[in-house]
Amino acid sequence: MRRSHITQFTVEFGDCDPAQIVFYPNFFRWFDSAARHFFVAAGLPPWRDMEATMGIIGAPIVDASARFLAPATYGQAIEVETAVSEWRGKSFVMKHTARRGEVTLAEGQEIRIFARRHPKDPERIQAIGAPDDIRKLLE
Amino acid sequence: MRRSHITQFTVEFGDCDPAQIVFYPNFFRWFDSAARHFFVAAGLPPWRDMEATMGIIGAPIVDASARFLAPATYGQAIEVETAVSEWRGKSFVMKHTARRGEVTLAEGQEIRIFARRHPKDPERIQAIGAPDDIRKLLE
Amino acid sequence: MRRSHITQFTVEFGDCDPAQIVFYPNFFRWFDSAARHFFVAAGLPPWRDMEATMGIIGAPIVDASARFLAPATYGQAIEVETAVSEWRGKSFVMKHTARRGEVTLAEGQEIRIFARRHPKDPERIQAIGAPDDIRKLLE
Amino acid sequence: MRRSHITQFTVEFGDCDPAQIVFYPNFFRWFDSAARHFFVAAGLPPWRDMEATMGIIGAPIVDASARFLAPATYGQAIEVETAVSEWRGKSFVMKHTARRGEVTLAEGQEIRIFARRHPKDPERIQAIGAPDDIRKLLE
C-alpha cells in the first residue's frame, strides 16, 4: 500500500467568487498545502531546515492540472487525499483528490522536482533526483 | 487569424512565496483574469449583465492545467497572451502563454463551459453550448 | 461573560512571502473567516439563507485594523479568538486575537454593519440595525 | 510638496466575493503593492538587493488599517495614491487612498519599520531607523 495523507480544509467566504462557488485557483492552493502536509506527515523537515542540512530548498512545481467535477461553496468541509503516484527520473507525480463527503470535487495532479540552488549561480535552481532516504519516506 | 488578447500584470511581493518566486496558483489567478480581459476585449458584457439578458451566469472551469518553464519574481512585468484554441460540443479550450519579455514562463490551458442556472433548481448550473453570436465574437 | 469563539488555522507555505513570514493581508483573511465561524457557532444561518428569509445579505466591513506583534511562518498552528466587543447604532465591533500558543501574533478589529439590498436599487446596499434576535445570538 | 505615487489596478473576478464586491483583504494586498511601487518609483532597489548591500531585508508592517467608503466590483479600474505621511522614531506611516474615478473607495494606513536580521540570531529581525539617504528618497 502506498502512503497517502488526508488534509482537512473549510471553504471560506473569501475563497468563493461572485458565482458563489470556489474560485478555482484556490483548489491549487489547497493542493499545494496538502502536498506540504503530506511531506510533514511522512517525516520530512520544513524546507528551511532541509536547505540548511541537505541543500534542498523545496519541491517546486513543473506541471499542475485539475479536473473540476462538482462545485463547492463556503461553510463546507472538504478534504484532500494526497499520494505520490509515480517516480520519474528527476521528477515525481503527486495525486490529489478533493472531496466533500462522498462527492469528488476535483482531481488534481502536480509534477514536482526536488531542487537546490545552482552551485555556481545562487539565483538559479537545479533539479536533483530524490535522495533515497527522502524517497523511502514518501512511498 | 484567430483573435488573441494580451493582458499585462506585475508580479508583486505578495504573489511570491518563501522560495522568492511566484506561488504557482497565482498563475491560474492570472489566467482567469486574462480570460476575462479576453472576453471583455472581444465585446462580451460582464457576467452580471449576461445573466440579466441571456441567462448566462459565466464560463466556469471544468479543467485547468499549466506547465511551468521558468520562475518569476516580484517587480517583474509579465504578460499573458490568450486565445480560444478549440471549440468542442459544450465546452471550449482557452490557451494562455505567460511571458516575461522573450522568456516563456508558463503555458496554461483552461477548458470552460458557458453555464446558466438549472431551470428547475437554481442551486445547480447547466452547461449550454456557446450561442452563435458569442462564439463569433471570440473566434 | 460575552460569547467568544476560537478558530484554528495552519499557516501554509503560500501564506508566506519572500521574507519567510505571513504576508500581512492574510491576517485579515483569517479575521474574516474567524468572524464567519463565530457567526456560525452562534447559530446564524449562512448569508445565502439569511438573504432568502430576512433580506440580510451579509455583514460587510466598514473599517478594519490590526497591530502585528510577532511574525509567524509556515507549518505553525495558530488560533484566532473572536468576540463582538461593542454595539453601536447601525454598526458593531468585532475583536480578533491571533495567537500561536502563548504568543500573541496580532490584534485585529473589524467594524461591520448588517446590510440588505436597497429597496429601490438592487445595486446598492443599505445598513440596517442588528435585528434583536440576531444580536441576542451574538452577545 | 511631499512625494506621492499612483498605482493602477484592475478589480478582477477572483478579487470579489459572493456579495459581488471586493473581498476586503484585497485592499490591503493592493496597499502593500502600492507601497512597493512607491518605493521603486522613489528609487529604492528591490529588497533582495538592499539585503545584499545594506542588510535591510524589507519594511515590515507593524500596524495596518482601512476605512471602506464605497464598494467596487470586477472590471473596474482603480488607483491607489500613496505617500509617507509621517516619520516617527523607528517607524513611518504610509497613507493610501483607493479611488475609482472621483469616488474614494478606501483610505488606508500602514505603519512600517525598516528591518534587518538580528546580528546574533538570523531568525529574528530588528527595527532600524530609516537611513538618511533612504528617507530623503521617500520624502
Side-chain angles (χ1 to χ4, degrees), chain A:
Chain A
M1 273 287 298
R2 88 187 170 204
R3 164 184 289 279
S4 76
H5 183 72
I6 289 177
T7 312
Q8 313 287 340
F9 300 96
T10 303
V11 181
E12 299 295 352
F13 188 74
D15 297 330
C16 297
D17 63 25
Q20 314 275 334
I21 57 176
V22 171
F23 180 55
Y24 89 83
N26 287 319
F27 275 101
F28 289 103
R29 187 162 64 80
W30 291 324
F31 294 157
D32 188 77
S33 296
R36 197 187 59 78
H37 283 271
F38 172 87
F39 293 142
V40 169
L44 255 65
W47 301 127
R48 53 186 169 267
D49 296 350
M50 289 184 68
E51 180 166 12
T53 56
M54 312 180 58
I56 292 179
I57 59 169
I61 290 280
V62 294
D63 193 294
S65 61
R67 287 197 315 140
F68 302 101
L69 304 169
T73 193
Y74 61 95
Q76 297 179 338
I78 66 172
E79 59 175 43
V80 175
E81 183 172 1
T82 299
V84 174
S85 62
E86 193 186 338
W87 295 91
R88 299 180 179 174
K90 290 195 172 167
S91 66
F92 61 103
V93 182
M94 303 190 84
K95 289 267 183 215
H96 303 281
T97 307
R99 293 189 196 88
R100 182 188 58 232
E102 303 288 300
V103 180
T104 300
L105 303 173
E107 289 171 348
Q109 181 182 285
E110 295 176 320
I111 307 178
R112 292 175 179 267
I113 54 166
F114 286 103
R116 63 172 180 190
R117 298 208 186 280
H118 195 285
K120 296 200 177 147
D121 177 0
E123 300 266 302
R124 290 167 55 204
I125 64 173
Q126 207 175 32
I128 55 171
D132 274 355
D133 48 346
I134 288 187
R135 186 168 158 168
K136 213 163 281 173
L137 287 173
L138 304 182
E139 275 173 346

Side-chain angles (χ1 to χ4, degrees), chain C residues 4-11 27 30-31 34 72 76-82 96-107:
Chain C
S4 76
H5 182 74
I6 288 177
T7 311
Q8 312 288 339
F9 299 96
T10 303
V11 181
F27 276 101
W30 291 323
F31 293 157
Q76 297 178 339
I78 65 173
E79 59 176 42
V80 175
E81 183 172 2
T82 298
H96 303 281
T97 307
R99 293 190 196 88
R100 183 189 55 234
E102 303 288 300
V103 181
T104 299
L105 303 173
E107 290 171 348

Side-chain angles (χ1 to χ4, degrees), chain C residues 13-32:
Chain C
F13 188 75
D15 297 329
C16 298
D17 63 25
Q20 314 275 332
I21 58 175
V22 172
F23 181 56
Y24 89 83
N26 287 319
F27 276 101
F28 290 102
R29 186 164 64 81
W30 291 323
F31 293 157
D32 187 77

Side-chain angles (χ1 to χ4, degrees), chain B residues 15-138:
Chain B
D15 298 328
C16 297
D17 62 26
Q20 314 274 333
I21 58 175
V22 172
F23 180 56
Y24 89 84
N26 287 319
F27 275 101
F28 290 102
R29 188 163 62 82
W30 291 324
F31 293 157
D32 187 77
S33 296
R36 198 186 60 77
H37 282 272
F38 172 86
F39 292 143
V40 170
L44 254 66
W47 302 126
R48 55 187 169 265
D49 296 351
M50 290 185 69
E51 180 165 13
T53 55
M54 312 181 58
I56 292 179
I57 59 169
I61 289 281
V62 293
D63 192 294
S65 62
R67 288 198 312 141
F68 301 101
L69 304 169
T73 194
Y74 60 94
Q76 297 179 339
I78 65 172
E79 60 176 42
V80 175
E81 183 172 1
T82 298
V84 174
S85 62
E86 194 185 338
W87 295 89
R88 299 178 181 176
K90 289 195 173 169
S91 67
F92 61 101
V93 183
M94 303 189 83
K95 288 267 183 216
H96 302 281
T97 307
R99 292 190 196 89
R100 182 189 57 234
E102 303 288 300
V103 180
T104 299
L105 302 173
E107 289 171 348
Q109 182 181 285
E110 296 175 320
I111 306 179
R112 293 174 179 266
I113 53 166
F114 286 103
R116 62 172 180 191
R117 298 206 186 279
H118 195 286
K120 296 199 176 147
D121 177 359
E123 298 267 301
R124 291 167 54 205
I125 63 172
Q126 208 175 30
I128 55 172
D132 273 355
D133 48 346
I134 288 187
R135 185 167 159 170
K136 213 163 282 173
L137 287 173
L138 303 183

Side-chain angles (χ1 to χ4, degrees), chain C residues 49-116:
Chain C
D49 296 351
M50 291 185 68
E51 179 166 12
T53 55
M54 313 180 58
I56 292 179
I57 59 169
I61 290 280
V62 294
D63 192 294
S65 61
R67 287 197 314 140
F68 301 101
L69 304 169
T73 193
Y74 60 95
Q76 297 178 339
I78 65 173
E79 59 176 42
V80 175
E81 183 172 2
T82 298
V84 173
S85 62
E86 192 184 340
W87 294 91
R88 300 179 179 174
K90 291 196 171 168
S91 66
F92 60 102
V93 182
M94 303 189 82
K95 288 266 182 216
H96 303 281
T97 307
R99 293 190 196 88
R100 183 189 55 234
E102 303 288 300
V103 181
T104 299
L105 303 173
E107 290 171 348
Q109 180 181 286
E110 296 175 319
I111 306 178
R112 292 173 179 267
I113 53 166
F114 286 103
R116 63 171 180 191

Side-chain angles (χ1 to χ4, degrees), chain C residues 61-64, chain D residues 22-31 34 65-72 78-82 94-109:
Chain C
I61 290 280
V62 294
D63 192 294
Chain D
V22 172
F23 180 57
Y24 89 82
N26 287 319
F27 276 101
F28 289 103
R29 188 164 62 81
W30 291 324
F31 293 158
S65 61
R67 287 197 314 140
F68 301 101
L69 304 169
I78 65 172
E79 60 175 43
V80 175
E81 183 171 2
T82 298
M94 303 189 83
K95 289 267 183 216
H96 303 281
T97 308
R99 293 189 196 90
R100 181 189 57 235
E102 303 288 300
V103 181
T104 299
L105 303 173
E107 289 171 349
Q109 181 181 286

